[in-house]
C-alpha cells in the first residue's frame, strides 16, 4: 500500500505535465489554430519581461518557500488565517505589478469587462428588464463579452463599486484582490469546521500562493470564487451546528451566498456538487431546506426584477455558439481545458487529485476523509464543466472558483513532497507571470 501511495503523486504530476506539454506543442506541430492568443492552451501572449513587482514577488517567494510550510503547522489558528489573507494580497499584488499599476488597473477597464457598462448604468431595474434582449450578437447594442456571458449579478457587483466611488480600474482591481484574498481563509475555516484542521494547515501554503494568483488578481471570476468559498464555509458551519438556530442561520446565509453565485455565472450551479460533499462529510442534511429556500429566494428576486435565469441561459448558449466557440475545436479543448487548468492551479494539482483518488495518505489518522471528499467533488465538478461543451478555452480564469477545492488535496501528499512541491508551485507562478502576458 505504501508504494502505491507514493507513486500516485508522480502519476498525477506526470499526467498534468504531459497535458501541458501536448497542449502547447500540438497546435504548433499540426499548424492548428485553436483560437486563443499566441500561447495555447492559455489565452496569453509570449512576452518575457521584468517589472516593478518582480523584486517583491521574488522576495515573497524565497521567504515563503523557506518558512510557509513550517509556519502553517505551528502558528495559532487566528494568526494562520490573518497571515493567509495578508500573504495572499501581497502575492497577488506583487505578481500583478510586474506590469506596474497597469497590471491591476487596466484589465478591468477593457471593453470586454464590466466596469464601462457599470459606469453607464443609471437604473439597474431597467437594466434587468432589458438584460436578455442585449445578449444575442445580432441585437442592437449587444452586451460586451463578459456581461453577455454572465447573469446580472456580476454586473451588479461592479455597479455597486461605481456607486461607492470605487469605479476606476485601479480601485476595482484592488477590491477584487482583497475579496479574492479571503478565499483561502474561507477554505481553511471550512476544513477546520469539518474536522480537518491538520489537513487545512498542510494545504494552507498551496491555497495562498501559486500560479492561480496571476489570474485572480484581475479577474471577476476570482470574486465569484470568494462568494462560492464563503457560501460553502457557511454551509459547513450549518452542517456542524449543534443547535437548530445555528443550522437555520448558517444554512440561510449559505443559501444566500450560493444563490447569488448562480447569478454571477451560469457555470456556478455546479457548486451543488461541492455543497452535497460538505453535507455528506458532516453527515447532516438538516441545513439543506434552509439553504435551498434562501438560494431560490435570491434567484426569484432577480426574476421579480425582470431577469429570468432559465430564459436567459438558452439565449446565452445561442450567442456562445454564434461566436468564437464554433471555431474552437472540441477535439483539442476537451483535454486542452485540463492543461489550461494545470497552468492555473499549478502542475501539483495533478498530484493532489491523484492522492485523493487513491484515498490513502499519511494523515489518515487525522481524519483525511473531508480532504478526500472535497478534492474528489471538485474533480467531478471540473469534469462536468468540461464535458458540458460550454467551457472551451479561457478556463484558467473561468474555473478559478473550483481551484482551491482541488488544491485541498495537497494535504494528502507525502511529507517529502510538501516543501519541494510548494516551491515548485511558487517558482512556476513566477516563470509564467514573467514569460507570458495573460491579459486577465
Amino acid at each position: 500500500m505504501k508504494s502505491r501511495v507514493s507513486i500516485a503523486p508522480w502519476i498525477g504530476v506526470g499526467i498534468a505535465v504531459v497535458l501541458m506539454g501536448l497542449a502547447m506543442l500540438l497546435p504548433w506541430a499540426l499548424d492548428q489554430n485553436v483560437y486563443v492568443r499566441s500561447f495555447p492552451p492559455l489565452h496569453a501572449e509570449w512576452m518575457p519581461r521584468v517589472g516593478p513587482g518582480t523584486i517583491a514577488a521574488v522576495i515573497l517567494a524565497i521567504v515563503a518557500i523557506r518558512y510557509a510550510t513550517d509556519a502553517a503547522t505551528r502558528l495559532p489558528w487566528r494568526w494562520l488565517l490573518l497571515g493567509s489573507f495578508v500573504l495572499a494580497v501581497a502575492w497577488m499584488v506583487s505578481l500583478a505589478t510586474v506590469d506596474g499599476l497597469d497590471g491591476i488597473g487596466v484589465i478591468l477597464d477593457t471593453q470586454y469587462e464590466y466596469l464601462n457598462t457599470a459606469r453607464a448604468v443609471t437604473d439597474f431595474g431597467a437594466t434587468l428588464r432589458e438584460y436578455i434582449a442585449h445578449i444575442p450578437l445580432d441585437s442592437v447594442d449587444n452586451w460586451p463579452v463578459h456581461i453577455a456571458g454572465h447573469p446580472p449579478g456580476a454586473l451588479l457587483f461592479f455597479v455597486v463599486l461605481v456607486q461607492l466611488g470605487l469605479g476606476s480600474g485601479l480601485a476595482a482591481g484592488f477590491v477584487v484582490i482583497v475579496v479574492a484574498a479571503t478565499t483561502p481563509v474561507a477554505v481553511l475555516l471550512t476544513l477546520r469546521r469539518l474536522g480537518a484542521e491538520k489537513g487545512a494547515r498542510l494545504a494552507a501554503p498551496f491555497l495562498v500562493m501559486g500560479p492561480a494568483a496571476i489570474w485572480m488578481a484581475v479577474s471577476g471570476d476570482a470574486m465569484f470564487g470568494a462568494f462560492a468559498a464563503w457560501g460553502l464555509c457557511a454551509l459547513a458551519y450549518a452542517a456542524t451546528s449543534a443547535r437548530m438556530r445555528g443550522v437555520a442561520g448558517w444554512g440561510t446565509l449559505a443559501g444566500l451566498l450560493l444563490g447569488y453565485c448562480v447569478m454571477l455565472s451560469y457555470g456556478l450551479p455546479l457548486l451543488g456538487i461541492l455543497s452535497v460533499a460538505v453535507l455528506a462529510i458532516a453527515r447532516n442534511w438538516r441545513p439543506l431546506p434552509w439553504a435551498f429556500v434562501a438560494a431560490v429566494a435570491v434567484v426569484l428576486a432577480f426574476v421579480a426584477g425582470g431577469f429570468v435565469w432559465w430564459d436567459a441561459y438558452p439565449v446565452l448558449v445561442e450567442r456562445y455558439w454564434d461566436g468564437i466557440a464554433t471555431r474552437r475545436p472540441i477535439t483539442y479543448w476537451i483535454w486542452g481545458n485540463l492543461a489550461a487548468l494545470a497552468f492555473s492551479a499549478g502542475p501539483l494539482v495533478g498530484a493532489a487529485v491523484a492522492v485523493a483518488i487513491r484515498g490513502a495518505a499519511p494523515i489518515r489518522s487525522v481524519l483525511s476523509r473531508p480532504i478526500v471528499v472535497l478534492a474528489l467533488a471538485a474533480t467531478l465538478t471540473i469534469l462536468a464543466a468540461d464535458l458540458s461543451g460550454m467551457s472551451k478555452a479561457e478556463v484558467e480564469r473561468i474555473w478559478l472558483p473550483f481551484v482551491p477545492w482541488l488544491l485541498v488535496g495537497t494535504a494528502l501528499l507525502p511529507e517529502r513532497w510538501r516543501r519541494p512541491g510548494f516551491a515548485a508551485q511558487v517558482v512556476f507562478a513566477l516563470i509564467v507571470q514573467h514569460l507570458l502576458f495573460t491579459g486577465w
Side-chain angles (χ1 to χ4, degrees), residues 9-53:
W10 288 107
I11 293 173
V13 167
I15 291 172
V17 171
V18 167
L19 282 174
M20 294 161 70
L22 289 175
M24 288 187 290
L25 292 174
L26 283 184
W28 171 78
L30 301 177
D31 195 24
Q32 181 184 29
N33 189 349
V34 294
Y35 291 93
V36 287
R37 294 180 183 175
S38 61
F39 198 87
L42 303 178
H43 199 61
E45 302 281 358
W46 178 259
M47 190 182 294
R49 67 207 184 281
V50 295

Side-chain angles (χ1 to χ4, degrees), residues 274-371:
L274 280 159
S275 299
V276 169
V278 168
L279 297 177
I281 292 166
R283 294 186 174 91
N284 184 3
W285 302 93
R286 291 185 302 164
L288 186 57
W290 297 96
F292 179 78
V293 169
V296 169
V298 173
V299 175
L300 293 181
F302 278 85
V303 171
F307 175 83
V308 183
W309 192 99
W310 47 89
D311 287 343
Y313 183 70
V315 181
L316 176 275
V317 172
E318 184 176 352
R319 169 162 175 160
Y320 180 70
W321 289 105
D322 283 344
I324 198 170
T326 57
R327 298 192 291 275
R328 287 174 171 165
I330 189 66
T331 52
Y332 173 85
W333 286 111
I334 196 70
W335 59 271
N337 282 340
L338 302 179
L341 172 68
F343 273 95
S344 178
L348 212 68
V349 72
V353 172
V355 293
I357 290 173
R358 286 300 308 164
I363 62 167
R364 179 180 298 187
S365 61
V366 292
L367 303 177
S368 63
R369 178 174 173 269
I371 306 291

Side-chain angles (χ1 to χ4, degrees), residues 85 89 92 157 161 172-184 216 220 222-227 230:
F85 171 75
V89 170
M92 282 188 275
F157 178 86
L161 291 189
F174 274 113
V175 170
V176 168
I177 285 173
V178 170
V179 172
T182 69
T183 299
M216 290 174 69
M223 175 266 290
F224 307 165
F227 273 86
W230 285 108

Side-chain angles (χ1 to χ4, degrees), residues 157-179:
F157 178 86
F158 289 95
V159 169
V160 171
L161 291 189
V162 171
Q163 295 301 313
L164 292 174
L166 299 170
S168 71
L170 189 61
F174 274 113
V175 170
V176 168
I177 285 173
V178 170
V179 172

Side-chain angles (χ1 to χ4, degrees), residues 9-265:
W10 288 107
I11 293 173
V13 167
I15 291 172
V17 171
V18 167
L19 282 174
M20 294 161 70
L22 289 175
M24 288 187 290
L25 292 174
L26 283 184
W28 171 78
L30 301 177
D31 195 24
Q32 181 184 29
N33 189 349
V34 294
Y35 291 93
V36 287
R37 294 180 183 175
S38 61
F39 198 87
L42 303 178
H43 199 61
E45 302 281 358
W46 178 259
M47 190 182 294
R49 67 207 184 281
V50 295
T54 296
I55 294 176
V58 170
I59 291 173
L60 275 174
I62 293 171
V63 172
I65 290 169
R66 174 63 182 84
Y67 296 108
T69 303
D70 293 333
T73 59
R74 297 174 182 174
L75 281 174
W77 181 252
R78 67 180 66 182
W79 289 108
L80 174 61
L81 297 180
L82 178 60
S84 296
F85 171 75
V86 172
L87 189 56
V89 170
W91 183 236
M92 282 188 275
V93 169
S94 64
L95 289 175
T97 55
V98 167
D99 296 308
L101 286 178
D102 284 353
I104 297 174
V106 168
I107 303 303
L108 289 173
D109 239 349
T110 64
Q111 60 180 322
Y112 305 107
E113 293 283 353
Y114 308 94
L115 272 179
N116 286 328
T117 303
R119 295 183 191 118
V121 172
T122 57
D123 183 347
F124 192 74
T127 300
L128 275 184
R129 293 188 292 273
E130 300 167 0
Y131 202 91
I132 297 175
H134 291 289
I135 294 176
L137 276 174
D138 59 0
S139 66
V140 178
D141 296 326
N142 61 77
W143 292 129
V145 171
H146 284 185
I147 296 174
H150 295 84
L155 177 60
L156 177 58
F157 178 86
F158 289 95
V159 169
V160 171
L161 291 189
V162 171
Q163 295 301 313
L164 292 174
L166 299 170
S168 71
L170 189 61
F174 274 113
V175 170
V176 168
I177 285 173
V178 170
V179 172
T182 69
T183 299
V185 177
V187 176
L188 294 176
L189 286 169
T190 302
L191 293 176
R192 189 187 197 213
R193 190 73 177 190
L194 294 174
E197 179 180 333
K198 185 173 182 180
R201 289 178 177 276
L202 294 174
F206 300 91
L207 296 172
V208 173
M209 292 182 67
I214 296 169
W215 291 270
M216 290 174 69
V218 289
S219 171
D221 293 83
M223 175 266 290
F224 307 165
F227 273 86
W230 285 108
L232 292 169
C233 180
L235 190 62
Y237 271 73
T240 52
S241 293
R243 297 183 179 181
M244 198 62 202
R245 181 173 60 183
V247 172
W250 286 111
T252 299
L253 177 59
L256 293 174
L257 290 169
L258 295 172
Y260 195 69
C261 285
V262 173
M263 306 311 300
L264 289 170
S265 170

